[in-house]
Amino acid sequence: MANSARTLGRWLGAISALCACSAAVAASAPFVPAAMPLLPLPAESAPASGSVTVATGTGIATPPGDAEAASAARLLIDRVATTRGIALRTVSSAATIRFVRDRTITGPEAYRLEIDATGIRIAAATRSGFFYGAMTLAQLLSPDQAFGQPVTLAGVTIKDAPRFAWRGLMVDVARHFQPLPSLYQIVDQMAAVKLNVLHLHLTDDQGWRFEVKRYPRLTALGAFRTPPSAGGPAPTTRIGGFYTQDQLRALVRYASERGITIVPEIDLPGHAQALVAAYPELGVLGDQPAVSHDWGVNPYLLDPGPRGVAFVEHVLDELIAVFPGSYVHLGGDEAVKDQWERAPKVQAQIKTLGLKNENALQSWLIDAFGRYLATKGRRLIGWDEILEGGLPPSASVMSWRGEQGAVDAANAGHDVVLSPAPTLYLDNLQSDQGDEPPGRLAVQTLADLYAYDPLPKGIDAARARHVLGAQANAWSEYLVTPYQMQHALFPRAAALAETTWSRAPRDFAGFTNRLARQVARWRRSGIEVADSAFAVTYAVQGTRGDALRKGKVAVALSTQAPVGTIRYTLDGSAPSARSPAYRAPLDLPPGATIKAAAFDADGRATARVRDFATSRAALLNRTPADLVACPDQTLALRMPLTPDAEANGPAFHVALFDTCSVYPAAPLDVATGFTVDVARFPRNFGLAHETADVRQHYRVTAFGELIVSLGCPVQQKGPAGPSSPAPVVVASFPLPDPAKTPTRMTFSGTLPRTRGDQDLCFQFTSPAAGPNYALASVQLSEPH
Ligand code: ACM
């Protein structure tokens, strides 16, 4: 991320067989009962006569000698055992479930599933078709949450094929290494909803994860880093890891059996600090950095000269021997060109090649690698920055800085994948619940992903076939553990699955209803699925100050997704399907604790119970999720106390360009005192050219102060207007020496009496270079 920064985020808020045209089915309005327990919805389905009951012992047969059908049958057996507890078995004759090879079915992923009184047939011409037929049947066989019971299926004929050929997820294994079992789980659960591309972001400034036999230091040294310090002694334990080629070959094979192509990414010429740490001679200026522990944009670039080119070709040779898919991703994002600008040998190269500038050199480099890959029968894809110096003819584009890159590239005849931030960036949180694990605060809900259409306006109709599909990206600066990665991926991956596979009209209510069943299947498979979209959210009506003044608080309850009936208790007991149904905001005297959850038609809670306390003290408390970044802040992060924290510990909200937060509408006629709980963090962000935008405040003491004021100092662009009175400082606390004090601290003070509600501002004046500070909580207090 760089000038246009993914991490800084000044933004708003084949695979030659792959084509966007695998339409084996008519596009005319098909009959697809929305009540079918299928996700994604199939292209076409029609009722048939009769029914079939499937139970433990039901037989499956595949054509003799057909290994692909046999593999799909095995995966069907596994899946149904996990999600329904039914043990199907393979038989050689008299099978209820039969796989049939039918070469008249066209489209690389198409299948037909027929259920009638004579049994169940899965027909396909390809391995993927068999597999998707099997996954559809597995979903029909787990229509509800019962386990072990037989299922009776009504007669139906399903003819299905995807809308788009690229239905992808990207997992960033560079920022935080994901253990291999975690990748296998992700493959399994992508396959369950017919996603078919797993893009692995294998290298970045913070780690090189792909074993290259010719360059062993890439992983011996480049796969590990030491975490940053929050002021005390720097940690010495290295963290990280890498995958051997054999491990990745096995993963590729496993994914391929499940219809999934793994697209490897080697990110260059930027995001190359781990590479330069391992082989300084492959950098530009000859210095040897450590593997970075700083997120964001770091300055280290690959040498674009003969040595760097040869290195990349050697890496590509080993990479394509492990990953057989058509596409290789070579990054190209966020390469600030300062080092190339400063290096005489690079300037000489630009001149010799007759290029205009450094961006053109990047294009030249990408084109050289694209041509190299073409000689090996492969294709290059890169982030949309590869458009900047003129798009090399050989390249396909993954559009992340909005959709314009995709529009331009597709109209110029290049294949594109839509992956725009912020919507398809899964490191963005999915709700503003206070218990979300860390991530970026540009919340992207399940509904936001579901509403995304991968065919952007502006692409000529004749060029629409260049849109291969869409991909959601799980960047892992803030996703440390497999739990956190899964929480970010699921269930939002289901929304992407539906929008990339299905042509059915969008119907969010129908989708969430079907999703509830998929969530149950994922949970049975041991996956951590976020319940954020189904969890009850509480909103105090009016200001909390008004509630305290009146001695009466009105609280509205809602859920993001319209599933089930919200039920609640006020007596501290857990709500059940028999608890009162929520109909209108609850009018309560302060002091109650509301416990609520939504319950589905079967009486099951759709999410964990969340509480809301209405005691006066609770109404006067604010947690990080309630605090607001001070004006002019476009990006804030929800961060753990240390960047590599493995536990789901407390999380804090931090804005990168100013450490200022507001307690909005503090009732200063009610409260007379405050206590703030403060946390100190490492400041580990490479901000490149945006470093200059970080606000440095004047400080009086060595380590800066925490300044508490009524109203925030507004950074005026023009003359201060009448609506922005100067802040009144209430208290100023010197911050202690970071090297000698714990990372958590508490400050208390008194507040002046004022009329009504006023914003209470908390500004740290510590050095911009770090460490960083954030509020863990603010508690206002009343006179005793
Ligand atoms: C990106 O987010 N830097 C592709």
Side-chain angles (χ1 to χ4, degrees):
M1 79 162 198
N3 311 326
S4 57
R6 187 172 74 71
T7 306
L8 318 195
R10 290 313 187 130
W11 28 261
L12 317 167
I15 306 181
S16 47
L18 274 186
C19 76
C21 51
S22 48
V25 288
S28 62
F31 166 76
V32 181
M36 283 204 302
L38 293 180
L39 199 162
L41 276 180
E44 196 176 319
S45 82
S49 61
S51 66
V52 183
T53 296
V54 175
T56 284
T58 295
I60 305 186
T62 56
D66 192 329
E68 292 178 351
S71 157
R74 259 195 323 277
L75 295 169
L76 172 64
I77 291 171
D78 287 354
R79 189 58 56 115
V80 173
T82 304
T83 56
R84 184 65 179 195
I86 290 177
L88 305 173
R89 65 195 172 97
T90 47
V91 293
S92 47
S93 62
T96 302
I97 302 169
R98 279 179 293 133
F99 285 75
V100 182
R101 195 163 282 266
D102 182 345
R103 299 193 190 279
T104 68
I105 295 177
T106 55
E109 298 178 298
Y111 69 93
R112 189 175 66 242
L113 172 63
E114 294 166 307
I115 301 175
D116 59 28
T118 68
I120 299 172
R121 286 171 302 286
I122 294 172
T126 63
R127 172 194 282 278
S128 290
F130 279 135
F131 177 71
Y132 290 131
M135 290 301 98
T136 294
L137 180 57
Q139 289 191 352
L140 291 174
L141 290 174
S142 49
D144 52 38
Q145 300 205 26
F147 197 67
Q149 278 100 315
V151 182
T152 298
L153 300 176
V156 68
T157 298
I158 291 173
K159 294 181 187 169
D160 201 6
R163 179 179 174 207
F164 290 105
W166 188 303
R167 307 180 300 278
L169 291 182
M170 189 210 75
V171 175
D172 172 5
V173 294
R175 269 53 176 272
H176 280 108
F177 178 70
Q178 286 289 318
L180 261 184
S182 164
L183 298 184
Y184 278 88
Q185 278 181 302
I186 290 168
V187 164
D188 279 338
Q189 304 316 327
M190 286 175 68
V193 291
K194 304 186 174 75
L195 292 169
N196 71 343
V197 175
L198 174 60
H199 166 180
L200 291 180
H201 183 74
L202 286 167
T203 73
D204 214 300
D205 299 310
Q206 301 80 7
W208 183 287
R209 311 291 177 213
F210 172 66
E211 176 194 34
V212 182
K213 295 192 195 288
R214 191 172 176 138
Y215 297 96
R217 290 212 306 273
L218 287 173
T219 45
L221 196 151
F224 300 91
R225 65 173 179 265
T226 49
S229 149
T236 51
T237 348
R238 296 195 315 163
I239 61 161
F242 65 92
Y243 311 110
T244 66
Q245 294 189 3
D246 284 345
Q247 287 173 330
L248 289 168
R249 270 197 195 91
L251 181 69
V252 163
R253 219 170 18 249
Y254 185 88
S256 162
E257 273 185 5
R258 289 154 181 79
I260 293 176
T261 301
I262 300 188
V263 174
E265 179 184 354
I266 302 294
D267 201 350
L268 53 85
H271 288 290
Q273 189 165 332
L275 152 63
V276 179
Y279 291 96
E281 64 273 27
L282 294 169
V284 179
L285 298 174
D287 44 347
Q288 179 164 23
V291 178
S292 184
H293 53 216
D294 291 348
W295 314 136
V297 174
N298 295 293
Y300 290 90
L301 299 178
L302 173 75
D303 170 13
R307 192 152 47 179
V309 170
F311 162 79
V312 174
E313 289 179 357
H314 294 146
V315 170
L316 290 178
D317 289 345
E318 296 196 30
L319 194 75
I320 62 183
V322 171
F323 296 97
S326 293
Y327 271 112
V328 170
H329 200 303
L330 283 188
D333 59 320
E334 302 183 315
V336 283
K337 304 292 190 306
D338 303 29
Q339 292 199 338
W340 283 2
E341 284 166 18
R342 278 167 38 212
K345 66 177 180 183
V346 178
Q347 290 306 311
Q349 185 182 359
I350 290 176
K351 218 164 166 185
T352 309
L353 291 170
L355 298 171
K356 206 165 85 203
N357 55 25
E358 291 74 19
N359 282 343
L361 179 61
Q362 170 158 328
S363 275
W364 174 87
L365 198 61
I366 293 287
D367 189 45
F369 298 140
R371 286 172 198 277
Y372 185 76
L373 285 169
T375 67
K376 312 279 175 184
R378 304 302 182 92
R379 300 179 69 188
L380 181 150
I381 189 165
W383 301 110
D384 57 60
E385 285 93 334
I386 66 173
L387 283 158
E388 279 168 0
L391 186 57
S394 54
S396 301
V397 170
M398 190 169 272
S399 193
W400 73 277
R401 298 175 302 174
E403 297 179 333
Q404 196 56 46
V407 172
D408 294 345
N411 285 339
H414 296 266
D415 286 346
V416 299
V417 174
L418 273 298
S419 194
T423 313
L424 297 191
Y425 269 39
L426 298 180
D427 49 341
N428 285 311
L429 298 190
Q430 50 205 305
S431 81
D432 43 24
Q433 293 278 352
D435 59 4
E436 286 289 355
R440 292 165 189 277
L441 289 171
V443 171
Q444 302 300 317
T445 65
L446 182 65
D448 292 331
L449 266 89
Y450 187 74
Y452 182 69
D453 190 84
L455 206 53
K457 289 188 187 56
I459 295 185
D460 306 338
R463 301 293 197 179
R465 69 194 158 83
H466 287 297
V467 176
L468 300 181
Q471 176 175 296
N473 298 332
W475 297 101
S476 66
E477 291 94 332
Y478 310 103
L479 307 177
V480 180
T481 61
Y483 158 89
Q484 289 171 346
M485 180 55 76
Q486 290 172 10
H487 186 94
L489 292 173
F490 304 108
R492 287 182 294 182
L496 183 82
E498 181 114 327
T499 59
T500 52
W501 179 281
S502 182
R503 293 167 201 269
R506 299 293 159 81
D507 163 18
F508 188 59
F511 166 73
T512 50
N513 188 298
R514 288 177 289 112
L515 176 61
R517 299 177 238 192
Q518 184 55 38
V519 167
R521 295 181 194 113
W522 275 330
R523 295 224 167 100
R524 281 210 196 285
S525 308
I527 296 295
E528 160 62 27
V529 187
D531 67 2
S532 321
F534 305 101
V536 170
T537 303
Y538 299 89
V540 172
Q541 309 283 280
T543 75
R544 296 182 191 205
D546 283 341
L548 288 160
R549 280 172 216 116
K550 287 188 212 139
K552 217 159 110 174
V553 54
V555 185
L557 280 52
S558 62
T559 56
Q560 266 184 24
V563 178
T565 303
I566 297 175
R567 298 180 182 278
Y568 67 95
T569 65
L570 296 172
D571 61 3
S573 65
S576 72
R578 289 180 303 284
S579 301
Y582 170 79
R583 302 198 193 287
L586 306 174
D587 243 332
L588 304 166
T593 292
I594 313 169
K595 289 181 186 268
F599 288 83
D600 66 17
D602 299 329
R604 284 191 175 77
T606 61
R608 269 184 315 102
V609 172
R610 264 72 169 184
D611 298 357
F612 185 78
T614 67
S615 67
R616 292 185 75 87
L619 291 173
L620 286 166
N621 185 268
R622 296 293 182 275
T623 62
D626 308 316
L627 298 163
V628 177
C630 294
D632 218 13
Q633 295 271 336
T634 50
L635 179 90
L637 307 165
R638 181 167 169 81
M639 303 201 325
L641 198 53
T642 62
D644 311 300
E646 299 233 332
N648 291 306
F652 308 88
H653 291 196
V654 173
L656 285 181
F657 294 91
D658 197 353
T659 49
C660 174
S661 359
V662 179
Y663 181 132
L668 297 190
D669 52 348
V670 173
T672 53
F674 66 90
T675 297
V676 268
D677 179 9
V678 169
R680 188 175 65 234
F681 305 83
R683 181 172 177 90
N684 62 320
F685 301 96
L687 298 186
H689 298 162
E690 295 190 5
T691 306
D693 294 347
V694 176
R695 276 189 76 198
Q696 174 66 75
H697 296 269
Y698 180 71
R699 65 178 186 276
V700 188
T701 54
F703 308 106
E705 300 80 32
L706 167 61
I707 296 176
V708 184
S709 57
L710 303 186
C712 281
V714 177
Q715 211 179 9
Q716 293 295 345
K717 296 236 157 51
S723 60
S724 50
V728 176
V729 173
V730 169
S732 174
F733 304 99
L735 296 165
D737 182 351
K740 298 194 181 131
T741 50
T743 52
R744 295 294 288 270
M745 60 208 90
T746 298
F747 303 103
S748 297
T750 55
L751 293 167
R753 283 275 182 184
T754 68
R755 266 183 299 156
D757 296 337
Q758 281 224 38
D759 288 351
L760 202 52
C761 185
F762 297 86
Q763 174 76 64
F764 294 96
T765 63
S766 49
N772 261 0
Y773 294 83
L775 304 184
S777 71
V778 182
Q779 178 71 57
L780 302 191
S781 53
E782 299 181 87
H784 294 297

